[in-house]
Structures are given as C-alpha cells and as structure tokens.
Amino acid sequence: MTPRSEIFEVLAKVCADPMGYARAWKTRTGRRVIGSFPMNFPSEMAHAAGALPLIIQEAEDPITAGHGLLFPFYCGFTRSAVDQAAKGDLAVLDAIMFGDHCVQLLGAADAVRVALPDTRVIFFQLISSMCDPWTLGRSKESFEKLRFELEDFIGEPVRDDAMRASIALFNRGRQAMRELYRMRVEGRVALTAREMQYVVKSSMVMDRAEHLELVEALVASASENLPQPEKRAVRLHLSGHFCQAPKPELLDMIEGCGAIVVGDDLYHGYRYISTDVGEEGNPMDSLARWYLDRNTGVPCPTRVQNDVDWDAFLLDAMRKESAEGMIVLMAKFCEPHMYYYPEVKEAFEKAGMPHLLIETEHESMALEHMRTRVESFLELIKRRRGVARANTPEGEVA
Amino acid sequence: MKKHVMGIDFGSTTAKAVIVDMRGRIIAWSVSHMGAVSDAAVHEAVADVLTQASLKQEDMGRCVSTGYGRRMLDIADKNFTEITCHARGAVAMVPEARLVIDIGGQDSKTIAVDANGLVAQFAMNDRCAAGTGKFLEVLARAMEIELEEMGDIAMKAQEELKISSMCATFAETEVISLRAEGHSKENVLGAVHQSIATRTLGLVNRVGKKGPAVMTGGVARNKAAVHYIEKVLGIPLILPETPQIAGALGAALIGLDDYKAELAESGQTIEEDYEVDAQMAFDKACVTGCKGDPAEAEKNAPAVTGKLKSMMSNLQKHF
C-alpha cells in the first residue's frame, strides 16, 4: 500500500499545479482536457466523452495580464481564471464549459472568450429556482443541451452506458471522500484541513480512477496508528468559499491557533462531494435529479431553495459534528455570500453559536492580523467552555 | 505556594508588565517604550516590575503574555490575545464597563464584555493602520510635531475639516494637502482625531454600544482622541488611571485564574481567598438571622457544610 505521506505528496502536487497535471495527462493519454467553471457542472459527462474533466482553480500567481480584461471589483476566482487565460495557462484546455451561477462568472466567461478565441467555449444555463414544478424538467433540458454541444465538439455521441460507468466511478470517489469526512468527525483519523482540501481539490483535476485509488488507500490506512487530534482543541466548522479553495496557509493558521476543523460546507470540501448521482435509469434524468438534490444536501446561496435554509443546515451540521464554533470564509466581492450572510449571522446569534467572519482576497492576507482574530475567537470559545466547567482558562501554551 | 502572578503585554510599540497578588491587586507595573516588538523593552519592563515588587521571576506562580510578541517570550507559561486580555483587564479596572475601546500601536479594537470580563463580541481594524497609534505617529511626522503634543494641539481646533481616507499613507497626503491649502496645524490635527473617532465609531457599531464604555491602550492618554470619540459616540468614556496596562493586567488576572485552578486541583488552600471570603462574611454578617452576633445566630441556623462551615466557625462578634 502507498504510504500516507506519499499519497499526500501526489495530491499536493496536483493542487499546486493543476494545469501542469493536465498537460502531463494529455501527453500521456493523447486525449482531450475539458475545463469547467466550478459549481454544478456535471464532470461525469466530459469523462464519459473520454476527456479529462478539470475544474479551473484559482491560481497562486498575482493577477497581471487579467487586469486588462476584468475589473478589480470581480472576485478573486474570476479574476484569476481570466488572468490564467490571458497568460496562456489555460491553453491545455480543448474546451471550457461555463454555467451562469453568478454575474461575476458571466463576466469572466466573456473575458475568457476574448482571451482564448480559438478555444471552444460551451455555455449552459441552469435554472436557479429550485422548488418550482418545472425545475426538474428545465434542469434536464439544460443538461441535454450541454450534452448536445459536447457531442458536437467531440464529433461523436456520448453513450448512455459510458455515462453510467462515469457516474458510478464518480460516485465511488465521492463516497470514499465522504468516508474520510465521517472518520474525521468521529476522530478515527487525524486529517488536517489542508490535507482534506488536497483530497477534494485534487479530485476536481485528476484522472478519477487514479484519484479514487489514492483516496481508498487513505481510507484503508486510517486503521493504522495515526496521530490523533488534540482533545482540547476547539472543534470548528468552516463555511463559505463557493468557488475557490481557501489558501492552505489560512487553514494551517486556523488549526495552528488550537482548532481542528471537523466539518465544512466549502466547495473544495463537503459541498463538492455531498451528493451522488443515481446509477439506475436514464443518466440524464439522474443528473437533473442530482442537480436538485445537491442543493438540499448542502444549500448554496446562488440557488433559490424555499424548503431548506442555509443557516438551519449549518447549525444542524455543526450539531452533528459537535462543532463549537464556525468560521465563515467569505471571498471578497462574492455577492451571493454577502447577500445571505446577514441571515446566517442572525441565526447563529439567536442560537448562541459563536462564529467569526473572515474576508479573504486573492492578492493578500494579513495573516498575523487574522491570527489575532482567530485566536481571540478560540479563546472566547475556550473560556466559555472553561466557565461552563470549572472556571478554568485554557490559553495557548507558550 | 507562590503568591504572585505576572502579566506581560508585548506590544507593537511598548512593552508592559504587571505583577498582581493572589487577590488580584496590582503590586507593581511598568511600561517601556522602545520601538516595534522590542526584546530589550520587554526585558526592561519585566526587570523593572520585579525590582519594584522586590521579587524574582521564580516567585511568580504564573506568567501570561499577550500582545503581538506574545509567542516570543520564554518566561511566559501561556499566552492569550490582546482582545481577551484587554477585556479582562478593563473590567477589572472598571467593573461596570460593558464596552472596551482599545486603541493600541498597530490596531484598534472594540470588545463587548460581560461582568466577568469575558469577551462577548469583538471587532478589529482589519485592513490598515488608520485609526491606530501608528496612524497618529505617521501623521505627527508629517506635521513635524512630537506625538505627545498632538492631543493638546488638536484640542485647540476651531474649524471642522475632513480627512476621508481609510489608509494611513493616503491620509498623510491629505494632511499635507490641507496644510498646503493654508489650514492651521490645530484644525488639521482636529480632523486627524475626528478621523480616528469615525473609525472607532464604525468598530463600536459592529459589536453594539451596549453599556458603559471604557477606553484602554496608549491612545486613551491622548485628550483629543478621547474628546472626539466621546463626541461621535454620544456617551462619556471611562478612563482608567493607567489605561496602557489594561492588557498586561488582564493577562496577569487570567494567569491568576489559571494558577488558582491548579492550586485548587492539587488541594492546596489559597489563604488569600479564605481571608477574602471570611472578610466578606464578616462585613455582610452572612449568617441567616444574625442580629450582630453571627456566632449566636449560627446556633439556630440551618446546618451548613464544607467551606462555609469552616468560614463561619472563624467569625467573631462584630459589635
């Protein structure tokens, strides 16, 4: 069995250079790479078409060329994606699929079209009203249109049996990753937030069969004598970041302050792996159903879901995880998040659940300043815990 | 048993040290100004406070650090953030305080606190130095005056000017421009302090103006800052005698809690606690039905056990 450290080394390398992985994969296999923006794109479809589906990631590089195409008041993810396009980093992609999840993604799609005039851009729209009688039908229509455009691009049909095989493979991947989440909540495995991000983020990039093998090895290795989490650490839930991965150094800082992340609803986390696609029947019906189900599994503020509240979902998830507080990671200029945050704040205050808002940016992070805020937040939780027990303060050991 | 505890606030521009006894009373305090997060300053403050108290570092039952350099101190047993420590220290200095405004060298924060000095909510300047001690320092340099003079000069402002920038560097440009337009130093400095007050009001509104407000940190000694903040808040600020040591005091008191908890766990009697409890009982004639003679009343009082029983048995007549 591959040792845990070697597995994480592979995953970390993919996360650090997704396009590098894609280039190497393309050279190795001679097959197409199809990029997509994050959120609800059914990667299974591109996989069934024989391509490597790759969700475009926010890059570490400072934005330079992209400034000529997109205003600085767009979110970090969209500006970074456009910057990568302008610098030629997305040249490895044979096609890019966009969905209209927010105004900023729409703007970025146009800018990418300008930057990559020779790359096939496939645009699809998904209904955002999730509870209407026609929602399921409309989402199926969207996926069928997407399939039609994809078939037009590759020049051959995407077969149903190939779709079913891809769906099954992706489901196994999601299930393996969810098992890691379960094990972490139950304390059966010590996984840092950075490591968990490596696991999920790499699954958005890598050959899925290759990735599955590594994740299943991780699950199996959990029974080995692994380091157990610090018992006095504050159990935290992370929420937010619908499109881009929080910077790993931010996650390290949070856990370094004396917390363990036991759950999240991050896109590069539980949001991405929460829901499986039905393996029986017509795969297009299953994908349409999946689109609806994943928004009740982990609600997203870009969708209008009348029957599930995001704040209630968060509080319930935290109760199940025995989380003591939540850190909200809000990407600067993320309008859907800004719009819904007041509701979350109000619900958390009403429930007496501590939470801390941290706004993140592509360009910079005053990490030391943030550390003071996170430490204060954890001290607040620990001292409340201390008061509840025996009036014993529990600061960080110097 | 050791009978003292030390708190150290290793700040961005000054180092503060406080020693308290087992009842939380300040025995000695010291402030050293020696530049950004300076090892020399912190050692000086610690040495000074030990000398004042005629104690050695080994006499400390606990040493807790706070401030930006809190993790750099080998002598500290634990460290806590400035937010936690200022909350605790401010409420110890001003028990009725429910809002703490702390403006330090590199950050400003507002903290909603409870009666125990525990943080309920907090907000910090999160982007730049505007509204902090560093902001004043930069602008003092731009105005070619000493930092200590700023408050007094600003109090003489006659005209209301506006500095709108949120960035210390851009504010400096605005100050230079206002001076170039012929505005007096007094009026420009009034605007500088008004700008700090506006930033502070924003932070206060993020945690809520929920009760008496106390101001801590070095900027609390600046008259103009206090004046303008009071004006925008619409409530008076309570100023402790030594606002700059609130963080170090809070650290010491948190250390004291920790030390006492450890002593209690190991079954050691804390003499000072006992004395305090006995004194309180004596003062309040705590025995039910006491008419001035607790010992007499005790005979008819319901049975009590444990610490209270031991305490009552030591009471003397108080008439």
Side-chain angles (χ1 to χ4, degrees), chain A residues 232 332 345 349 356 359 361 368-369 371-373 375-377 379-380 383-384 387 391-398, chain B residues 68 70-71 73 76-84 88 107 118-122 124-127 254 257-258 261:
Chain A
R232 289 171 62 211
K332 193 176 177 71
K345 181 176 186 285
E349 282 173 359
L356 176 72
E359 192 182 54
E361 288 184 61
E368 193 52 36
H369 192 88
R371 189 193 309 277
T372 298
R373 294 175 60 210
E375 278 187 19
S376 299
F377 178 62
E379 285 168 10
L380 181 155
R383 283 181 63 76
R384 281 184 184 183
V387 168
N391 203 25
T392 307
E394 307 189 24
E396 181 191 347
V397 175
Chain B
Y68 274 96
R70 63 186 176 275
R71 287 182 219 90
L73 282 173
D77 301 301
K78 287 187 174 183
N79 67 70
F80 288 83
T81 64
E82 309 85 284
I83 292 170
T84 301
R88 183 64 194 274
D107 61 30
L118 291 180
V119 176
Q121 272 189 308
F122 65 90
M124 277 179 90
N125 64 318
D126 52 4
R127 224 146 275 278
I254 290 169
D257 292 343
D258 196 32

Side-chain angles (χ1 to χ4, degrees), chain A residues 39 41-45 55 163-182 199-200 203 208 211-212 215-216 219 269-279 286-287 290 294:
Chain A
M39 298 294 259
F41 176 74
S43 296
E44 289 89 337
M45 211 183 277
I55 296 171
M163 287 270 282
R164 273 191 283 273
S166 296
I167 286 170
L169 176 65
F170 275 61
N171 281 347
R172 267 184 74 190
R174 284 185 281 253
Q175 286 154 14
M177 288 187 272
R178 288 203 300 271
E179 178 58 16
L180 279 180
Y181 263 81
R182 257 192 302 277
V199 170
V200 179
S203 80
R208 298 314 192 267
H211 186 265
L212 175 64
V215 177
E216 286 183 338
V219 172
Y270 200 74
R271 183 179 296 281
Y272 183 65
I273 61 169
S274 69
T275 311
D276 288 337
V277 183
E279 293 182 28
S286 301
L287 284 174
W290 165 80
R294 74 190 296 265

